[in-house]
Amino acid sequence: MTRITYARSVDDVDPERWDAVAGTEPFGQHRWLRFLEGCLADFEPRYVLLWSGGDLRGLATCHLQRTAHASILLDNAALRRLASATIRLLPPLTCTVPVLNRTGLLVHPASDTASITDQLVTAVRRLGVIERAPFIAFSDLDPARRDLLTSNRTLPEVTLPPDAVLDLSARTYEEWEQDRPRKHRAEIRRVRSRAGDHGVHVEGVALSEVDDDHVDHLLASVAERHGNAVLWRSGAVGHARPRLDDDHARLLIARQNGDTIACVLLLASYGSVLVKWIGLDYPRTEPSFAYHLLMTETVRHALDLGARRLSLGTTTYTLKKKMGARMEPRSLVLGVRPRAADRLVAAVLDARRRRDEAPG
């Protein structure tokens, strides 16, 4: 007999029980939700826990989503402002590990994945009613998990921008670069040389060595440039320090003549590394090729962190393809209230998809 309980903080869930469910799923462990709860602004988590007897068998990480990077999906600035204002007032309940772009659905390795997933989806939809969410979204789904959610349901699906992923088999940066096609290798070296000509170099530092205010400024600069809200709390580095050790986090700093002009944060979990906290001082990074240098240096430091997979994110695909990245598909599945609306929304989205794919 199974039962469902809910929690509003990951600290209300025993870390050992949580991690037994997460297993070796990258970024699924208890520590990563503690990191997000401590560092994200406007984060209102809701956790669904599925028990069998006294054993935790499934988890759904959800949150009331009051902010989003609307620039990824909407080109029109007016529509972005409208979308941002709407979800702030009427937040959907989104099932995902936010920012880390991982599914929020976790099933104990010894459990029946399909059965537990089905029960979790039902419980999340019930939670959406309790929270009076206008709709429920299961986001950041890979094809296998998408199929699991949609196989027995008529749920609307939205294709998200793909994640640029590097599969790393090299042991060193030099070995990785040598494996690139000659044309791409020449381009990478040209850009690195131009950055050097502008006095730019990159170093990896522990969070304990970082100026909190400077990182805040760089992150705010990128958010403002794209018309997005700043996702992180002020002093995010200080909040992250007690939650992440040096084996799981490293900040890359680009300096020009001694001044910090850009940064990215590498997060590492079970052989997978994510690129986050992209911060740029645009007047200095754009002419100096600092961003391009930072991106290539993520490979060097990801390998040092033991990565076999490097997730570079969902923008600037041209550069990332030259680095050898493949495009990994991601989907979002909607659960509309009331359920009778699922078929209608699915039909509208399907018609739109056929129109976009039509020749000419």
Side-chain angles (χ1 to χ4, degrees):
M1 185 67 180
T2 60
R3 62 187 175 91
I4 297 291
T5 62
Y6 301 97
R8 293 198 172 194
S9 172
V10 74
D11 288 334
D12 295 332
V13 186
D14 179 73
E16 290 187 7
R17 289 178 183 268
W18 181 292
D19 289 351
V21 175
T24 58
E25 177 78 21
F27 304 100
Q29 292 68 40
H30 193 272
R31 71 166 61 89
W32 297 107
L33 277 305
R34 287 196 71 246
F35 161 65
L36 294 176
E37 284 191 18
C39 298
L40 276 181
D42 295 321
F43 186 36
E44 299 177 55
R46 301 290 187 268
Y47 302 104
V48 179
L49 297 84
L50 187 149
W51 302 82
S52 178
D55 298 324
L56 187 59
R57 289 296 171 181
L59 291 163
T61 295
C62 308
H63 67 288
L64 294 174
Q65 187 171 350
R66 296 188 188 274
T67 59
H69 273 172
S71 63
I72 295 177
L73 297 173
L74 298 172
D75 295 328
N76 184 281
L79 288 177
R80 287 201 302 269
R81 288 193 295 270
L82 177 61
S84 296
T86 300
I87 67 170
R88 178 158 289 280
L89 291 173
L90 298 169
L93 182 70
T94 302
C95 181
T96 186
V97 181
V99 178
L100 303 186
N101 305 124
R102 291 297 185 267
T103 177
L105 297 169
L106 291 175
V107 176
H108 193 287
S111 296
D112 182 317
T113 301
S115 174
I116 298 297
T117 299
D118 188 65
Q119 293 177 75
L120 285 172
V121 169
T122 299
V124 170
R125 296 192 70 151
R126 188 180 305 126
L127 178 61
V129 174
I130 294 170
E131 296 289 349
R132 300 184 179 181
F135 62 88
I136 298 94
F138 297 89
S139 191
D140 295 305
L141 300 171
D142 58 29
R145 286 191 172 98
R146 176 204 62 202
D147 292 346
L148 196 60
L149 261 67
T150 59
S151 59
N152 297 319
R153 304 177 184 86
T154 306
L155 292 176
E157 178 190 343
V158 178
T159 300
L160 298 174
D163 190 9
V165 175
L166 271 178
D167 297 308
L168 299 175
S169 58
R171 292 169 296 178
T172 65
Y173 173 86
E174 290 72 23
E175 183 180 312
W176 168 80
E177 188 182 272
Q178 191 59 39
D179 286 342
R180 298 297 95 229
R182 182 167 63 181
K183 181 179 179 180
H184 290 172
R185 185 168 65 244
E187 176 66 11
I188 289 170
R189 290 176 176 174
R190 183 188 72 83
V191 167
R192 292 175 64 84
S193 176
R194 295 287 297 275
D197 292 342
H198 283 84
V200 177
H201 72 279
V202 172
E203 59 185 272
V205 299
L207 293 179
S208 59
E209 304 174 42
V210 179
D211 182 322
D212 297 23
D213 291 339
H214 210 140
V215 171
D216 283 352
H217 172 74
L218 293 173
L219 297 178
S221 174
V222 173
E224 182 180 356
R225 176 71 166 256
H226 295 283
N228 294 321
V230 179
L231 295 181
W232 304 95
R233 292 173 60 186
S234 177
V237 172
H239 297 301
R241 285 191 191 107
R243 292 170 169 83
L244 298 178
D245 57 36
D246 292 349
D247 290 334
H248 298 103
R250 181 178 301 178
L251 197 72
L252 304 190
I253 298 289
R255 303 188 194 278
Q256 184 182 47
N257 303 323
D259 298 331
T260 298
I261 62 171
C263 68
V264 299
L265 178 67
L266 300 186
L267 300 174
S269 175
Y270 286 99
S272 182
V273 168
L274 303 181
V275 174
K276 295 296 171 183
W277 277 7
I278 297 175
L280 302 170
D281 180 349
Y282 286 100
R284 298 184 67 172
T285 57
E286 288 184 328
S288 68
F289 296 88
Y291 174 73
H292 294 72
L293 178 61
L294 265 177
M295 283 293 104
T296 57
E297 280 296 293
T298 62
V299 177
R300 185 188 309 277
H301 290 271
L303 288 169
D304 188 51
L305 288 166
R308 287 295 170 260
R309 170 192 165 95
L310 174 60
S311 174
L312 295 167
T314 58
T315 58
T316 58
Y317 292 123
T318 300
L319 167 63
K320 293 163 185 177
K321 286 180 179 178
K322 288 179 180 179
M323 292 171 62
R326 58 182 173 82
M327 298 297 106
E328 189 168 88
R330 300 184 308 136
S331 297
L332 178 150
V333 171
L334 293 174
V336 186
R337 293 182 56 207
R339 290 194 184 193
D342 283 345
R343 290 181 181 275
L344 175 61
V345 175
V348 171
L349 291 174
D350 186 56
R352 178 180 176 181
R353 183 162 47 245
R354 288 198 304 270
R355 182 201 65 193
D356 292 342
E357 293 174 352

